[in-house]
Amino acid sequence: DTEVTQTPKHLVMGMTNKKSLKCEQHMGHRAMYWYKQKAKKPPELMFVYSYEKLSINESVPSRFSPECPNSSLLNLHLHALQPEDSALYLCASSQAVGSRSYEQYFGPGTRLTVT
Amino acid sequence: AQRVTQPEKLLSVFKGAPVELKCNYSYSGSPELFWYVQYSRQRLQLLLRHISRESIKGFTADLNKGETSFHLKKPFAQEEDSAMYYCALKGDFGNEKLTFGTGTRLTIIP
């Protein structure tokens, strides 16, 4: 299995809802990433997990809460989001951090709409 | 700080003509440079990286440290090359952030 999978594909939520995005990989990768991509813009890094520990938080608001329960799974918990948080959320994985030339494999993304 | 600049948002090239997508970067250490591609309705995927110095789908890119550039080139464009291309930079050991340029949408005209 050489793919990163993300669920759900689409999500519509109100500003008072709590929801979660899920990402899974079975390539034995030990680094996993969350990116946010607004329309016609490049992906922007949100979080990096290395060996199930949070290693980078790009000053993301606390209404986004990442979780890495094991080496294959990455979640993004959403609470009290704003309409401007509507975007495509991409998950990626790579063999490890701290080494050169590790390719990041991207999932297809979850299209989030906040109403 | 690390920054990647792709000056062309859109680029149209006739089939069979040469292609060059420009990428310039700003980084004080020793960066790694990548080109990622996103074909229509497909996920973002790695096209090539400067360290491996390989040619993928006829594309090559050479890191020019003097000019801080990593331009993507192909001698003869094919229709299937139409896609969104992102140049990306990863910093030194311990700096795992991948920073993307704004992207260039390449359209090959039949």
Side-chain angles (χ1 to χ4, degrees), chain B residues 45-59:
Chain B
Q45 58 187 287
L46 180 69
L47 180 62
L48 52 77
R49 68 196 95 178
H50 88 267
I51 282 183
S52 57
R53 299 186 64 82
E54 56 195 347
S55 172
I56 304 292
K57 299 185 180 183
F59 284 98

Side-chain angles (χ1 to χ4, degrees), chain A residues 24-115:
Chain A
E24 197 164 359
Q25 58 86 14
H26 296 286
M27 294 179 277
H29 290 173
R30 302 311 299 271
M32 296 186 78
Y33 311 78
W34 279 116
Y35 290 85
K36 176 181 178 179
Q37 186 175 24
K38 300 282 277 184
K40 300 188 179 182
K41 297 286 186 183
E44 291 183 359
L45 184 67
M46 300 174 72
F47 302 104
V48 180
Y49 271 84
S50 175
Y51 292 89
E52 295 95 72
K53 286 187 168 44
L54 184 65
S55 64
I56 294 179
N57 176 341
E58 287 286 301
S59 302
V60 179
S62 60
R63 57 186 184 269
F64 295 92
S65 175
E67 179 198 19
C68 190
N70 60 57
S71 60
S72 300
L73 281 175
L74 185 66
N75 298 319
L76 186 63
H77 302 299
L78 314 172
H79 173 55
L81 294 194
Q82 304 295 311
E84 59 265 28
D85 296 322
S86 298
L88 182 68
Y89 287 84
L90 296 171
C91 175
S93 70
S94 66
Q95 286 188 37
V97 297
S99 300
R100 298 192 76 80
S101 291
Y102 280 136
E103 172 182 354
Q104 289 191 22
Y105 291 78
F106 283 83
T110 293
R111 176 80 55 193
L112 174 68
T113 303
V114 181
T115 60

Side-chain angles (χ1 to χ4, degrees), chain B residues 3-13 18-25 33-36 59-64 67-74 84-88 100-106:
Chain B
R3 191 169 67 243
V4 178
T5 303
Q6 292 179 251
E8 304 134 331
K9 279 191 176 180
L10 303 169
L11 182 64
S12 294
V13 173
V19 176
E20 183 178 38
L21 285 76
K22 291 186 167 48
C23 172
N24 288 89
Y25 67 89
L33 274 296
F34 305 83
W35 277 100
Y36 278 81
F59 284 98
T60 58
D62 290 318
L63 181 61
N64 185 324
E67 295 183 0
T68 59
S69 68
F70 188 56
H71 303 326
L72 184 67
K73 299 178 183 178
K74 183 170 182 176
M84 189 72 169
Y85 291 80
Y86 290 102
C87 183
F100 287 86
T102 49
T104 298
R105 181 163 297 283
L106 175 65

Side-chain angles (χ1 to χ4, degrees), chain B residues 82-94:
Chain B
S82 293
M84 189 72 169
Y85 291 80
Y86 290 102
C87 183
L89 178 152
K90 176 177 167 294
D92 288 320
F93 181 89

